[in-house]
Amino acid sequence: MVRAILIAILFLSPTAAFAQSAPPSTARDPAQTSQTAPSGGRNVVLLPQILADLFGPGQGGDAAPPAPNGASAPTDAAQGGGQGNPATQTPAPIQPPRTSPVTSPRAISGAFVPDEVLVTLDGGAGVAAEVAALFGLQVRSTRVSGLLGQTVARFGIPDGRPVGFVLAQLAGDGRLAARVPNHIFELQQAAGIVNYAFERIALDASEASGETVSVAVIDTALDPEHPALKGVVAGEFDALPDMAVKDRGHGTSISGLIAGQGPFHGMAPGARLLHARAFEGGISSTDVLLSALDWAASEGAQIINMSFVGPENPLFAAACRNAMARGIVLVAAAGNNGPGAPFGYPAAYDGVIAVTATDVHDKLMGQANRGRYVDLSAPGVNVIAPIPGGTDVVTGTSFAAAIVSGAIANLMRAGAKQEPAALATLLARTAVDLGPPGRDEDFGHGLINTKAALAGR
């Protein structure tokens, strides 16, 4: 029935039905029946009510928490062109897939900013402005992504059209390579005493070191005056420059667990720590995270810790693939949303090392995600970590991921192969099997064993 109605609409319309809406100055309600309006010498047809009904309301709406605005360089200034791993030749960027038209917002999984979409295109701010004008959108930011090799434009939807509806409209413009929602990501900290992590992962605290290894953390802001982090941070980037810093807790804990020194001994003291602030109030967006990932790659990060979880997003997936192609090891939290939760991304992307959390007895954290994407287990239940003003007990796959990032920095310093796939294979082969024999969906390959990995490198 729906197909027949669509065929009838196409037959009756004087031009192609997917030529979409008018520029802002002549924008109309997309629910109006088919009308034409001039735009740059073309007749533009407004989609009729029947198509709006088919797309239905977006899933962002009130169910999605307000996401931080993207932080982007103006116009065409390239950011994150990046040398990546200095020892690795930079391959040509993998282009994001040219997505097929979205047929219903119900196909959009996860929370997203309800009045924004992200697109990639060849060209700069001028092309983005033309596209925005044609479809009645606002250009909220544009920047060149070094990892994606294209301009990323963040468009605002000023008239209340659902995100799925706008993505379908944009499918008619051949200048756009990818069109995705601006998904929302959340930090992975669960509610939570000598730090037992060193013992459980077989890493000698007195010999632990990440000296000469560059480790980037994408997280909240950190406390630069904390005794464990003072003088440790080699570079900082603020992906939310227009938003006041209120939260420094999670970022302080993650960076401290990796590179803390002095009164608090991190897993890899001496590491060259690069810290990108991309979260406030526990949430971030795809656009913000892309800018932080670009920055980390451009600063020569060899390991990037991503202790957050969100839905699958093609742009972020492509950026992660390109980062790994440059030789950068990506470590991510598997998620704290329980056994029945959907896969957590970026941990579930191929090649990313997905880390779940265990306790002092090597028992799995009850809130941990499960799934075939889980690679490794590491201490993440009631571990001691720095917080602003001192230390505290923390729990979550976030902290397990940080411990694995620190362990990998030790391996790199000791001369282990730095290519991401080779390192992942080494860690899987030397892990201590937990749960059922072999790899399983709870513990992955098992508990990371730094001593065995050092011996087997």
Side-chain angles (χ1 to χ4, degrees):
M1 176 65 181
V2 170
R3 182 177 178 184
I5 294 172
L6 289 175
I7 293 172
I9 292 168
L10 292 170
F11 181 79
L12 294 174
S13 297
T15 59
F18 291 95
Q20 328 304 329
S21 62
S25 59
T26 59
R28 305 174 189 228
D29 184 346
Q32 290 176 350
T33 55
S34 178
Q35 301 178 37
T36 59
S39 177
R42 298 169 58 191
N43 286 329
V44 178
V45 177
L46 300 175
L47 290 172
Q49 177 65 46
I50 184 67
L51 294 186
D53 292 341
L54 289 174
F55 283 109
Q59 290 184 358
D62 296 335
N69 288 329
S72 307
T75 64
D76 299 327
Q79 294 186 11
Q83 60 265 32
N85 186 342
T88 304
Q89 183 176 0
T90 302
I94 300 170
Q95 298 295 337
R98 290 187 175 267
T99 53
S100 58
V102 176
T103 57
S104 168
R106 294 178 181 83
I108 302 175
S109 63
F112 52 88
V113 183
D115 66 340
E116 289 184 353
V117 294
L118 295 181
V119 302
T120 56
L121 50 88
D122 295 320
V127 175
E130 291 174 3
V131 173
L134 180 61
F135 292 99
L137 304 172
Q138 298 171 336
V139 178
R140 294 185 175 170
S141 66
T142 60
R143 66 180 191 85
V144 176
S145 169
L147 289 173
L148 295 174
Q150 291 179 306
T151 295
V152 178
R154 181 167 57 98
F155 291 152
I157 307 170
D159 55 9
R161 279 172 288 168
V163 166
F165 189 94
V166 172
L167 291 174
Q169 290 183 311
L170 291 171
D173 196 309
R175 293 170 292 185
L176 306 181
R179 307 160 303 282
V180 299
N182 194 7
H183 277 122
I184 292 169
F185 291 73
E186 298 181 87
L187 295 171
Q188 293 300 288
Q189 177 174 359
I193 247 185
V194 178
N195 199 338
Y196 63 90
F198 284 101
E199 176 189 355
R200 299 316 304 153
I201 71 168
L203 177 62
D204 188 338
S206 65
E207 297 181 1
S209 173
E211 190 176 352
T212 74
V213 180
S214 294
V215 184
V217 172
I218 300 175
D219 215 282
T220 69
L222 52 68
D223 178 6
E225 298 303 314
H226 194 288
L229 293 171
K230 197 167 185 178
V232 171
V233 182
E236 289 188 80
F237 174 71
D238 192 349
L240 297 168
D242 299 323
M243 185 174 290
V245 175
K246 296 181 180 179
D247 185 4
R248 298 182 184 272
H250 198 270
T252 298
S253 296
I254 296 300
S255 287
L257 279 168
I258 294 172
Q261 57 187 19
F264 180 88
H265 204 75
M267 298 293 119
R272 177 176 177 262
L273 183 65
L274 304 168
H275 193 94
R277 177 211 176 200
F279 283 83
E280 197 59 60
I283 61 173
S284 187
S285 69
T286 305
D287 184 52
V288 174
L289 293 173
L290 279 171
S291 66
L293 193 63
D294 265 318
W295 173 80
S298 73
E299 290 294 309
Q302 294 162 271
I303 305 164
I304 299 178
N305 188 90
M306 299 182 290
S307 289
F308 51 82
V309 159
E312 185 175 13
N313 185 281
L315 289 189
F316 202 59
C320 287
R321 286 196 301 273
N322 288 332
M324 289 184 286
R326 294 185 180 191
I328 302 172
V329 176
L330 302 183
V331 181
N336 303 338
N337 299 310
F343 285 9
Y345 295 87
Y349 292 135
D350 288 344
V352 176
I353 297 175
V355 184
T356 192
T358 51
D359 65 15
V360 68
H361 302 294
D362 299 336
K363 302 298 183 183
L364 190 67
M365 184 183 78
Q367 307 102 299
N369 286 32
R370 273 70 154 178
R372 63 182 182 275
Y373 70 97
V374 176
D375 292 306
L376 294 170
S377 305
V381 178
N382 292 337
V383 295
I384 291 289
I387 62 168
T391 58
D392 201 357
V393 175
V394 295
T395 292
T397 57
S398 277
F399 310 110
I403 287 170
V404 169
S405 290
I408 292 172
N410 279 268
L411 293 174
M412 287 186 173
R413 178 181 179 273
K417 292 181 180 179
Q418 298 186 20
E419 196 273 324
L423 260 175
T425 299
L426 173 64
L427 294 173
R429 176 168 53 85
T430 56
V432 177
D433 193 15
L434 302 175
R439 184 176 186 177
D440 60 77
E441 296 189 354
D442 291 353
F443 299 98
H445 294 283
L447 184 68
I448 183 173
N449 186 322
T450 310
K451 183 178 181 179
L454 284 168
R457 66 185 187 276

